[in-house]
Amino acid sequence: GTTEVLVITTNTMPPTESRLFISDQAGTTSITGLSQDLFTLNITNNATLGTFPLSYPFSNADTVSGTFDGDANGTAVSGTFSGSFNTSVDAHGTLNLNDFGLGAYNENVTRLKTELDITLIVLGFINIGTVTQTSYSYYDDVNGNLVFRTSTNVIDIDAFGNVINETIRLYGALDQSTL
């Protein structure tokens, strides 16, 4: 089951929250669910990230499945999904972040890339669309803390006359003043 929830809040008005539900079992970290705005995934065949610490050049390919529910322009939709979840430690080097209110950062990092690609099914057999999420997480090489994260979510749904073609990009930086 889920052992941790990562909450990301935007600084837009009104603020929105994204949640990442995580399971850590004997050092192996998996994603058990995602929620963002009007869309929730319950991943019953968990998306395995790997056994931490991960090192360059690590890669893992996993299959995922589960249930979803959401809102397609005012119409409630729910069903099942299946697809793939790929993880790779694909880069390492120096990350330079300008001082944008959180303090400048110029240290060595390791980058973790994750790609989720799923197909959404309703009524047991009707394909209503796809969701693709590509995330890059940059971890400090000294203390292992998450420093910077980007996520691009592409949602392409055609559910009973309600069409959603949306790309959501999120960027997050660690607030070093709270450490």
Side-chain angles (χ1 to χ4, degrees):
T2 298
T3 58
E4 185 177 346
V5 179
L6 174 64
V7 179
I8 302 165
T9 305
T10 65
N11 63 357
T12 59
M13 288 313 246
T16 59
E17 284 187 354
S18 298
R19 295 177 185 263
L20 179 65
F21 300 89
I22 300 169
S23 172
D24 186 0
Q25 303 296 324
T28 299
T29 301
S30 300
I31 298 173
T32 61
L34 301 164
S35 69
Q36 190 171 31
D37 291 334
L38 302 173
F39 190 75
T40 300
L41 295 178
N42 179 21
I43 305 172
T44 53
N45 179 21
N46 294 342
T48 302
L49 284 165
T51 302
F52 283 79
L54 302 177
S55 300
Y56 176 82
F58 169 84
S59 66
N60 183 56
D62 197 8
T63 57
V64 295
S65 61
T67 60
F68 74 91
D69 61 73
D71 183 305
N73 293 329
T75 300
V77 293
S78 63
T80 62
F81 70 88
S82 63
S84 63
F85 182 76
N86 298 309
T87 303
S88 62
V89 178
D90 68 339
H92 59 94
T94 302
L95 178 65
N96 294 300
L97 297 174
N98 292 330
D99 183 354
F100 49 91
L102 299 177
Y105 182 88
N106 182 18
E107 301 292 336
N108 289 328
V109 296
T110 299
R111 182 172 79 179
L112 175 66
K113 178 182 180 182
T114 59
E115 296 174 289
L116 175 68
D117 189 8
I118 59 172
T119 300
L120 307 173
I121 304 293
V122 297
L123 302 175
F125 64 93
I126 301 172
N127 178 344
I128 64 164
T130 59
V131 175
T132 302
Q133 180 186 61
T134 303
S135 296
Y136 295 95
S137 301
Y138 298 80
Y139 293 90
D140 187 287
D141 281 350
V142 174
N143 59 27
N145 288 340
L146 178 62
V147 177
F148 186 72
R149 181 174 183 270
T150 68
S151 179
T152 302
N153 305 284
V154 179
I155 302 166
D156 185 13
I157 297 174
D158 185 353
F160 312 110
N162 293 300
V163 177
I164 298 175
N165 297 99
E166 188 172 336
T167 299
I168 302 166
R169 289 186 178 84
L170 301 172
Y171 304 92
L174 173 68
D175 184 349
Q176 297 178 34
S177 67
T178 61
L179 298 179

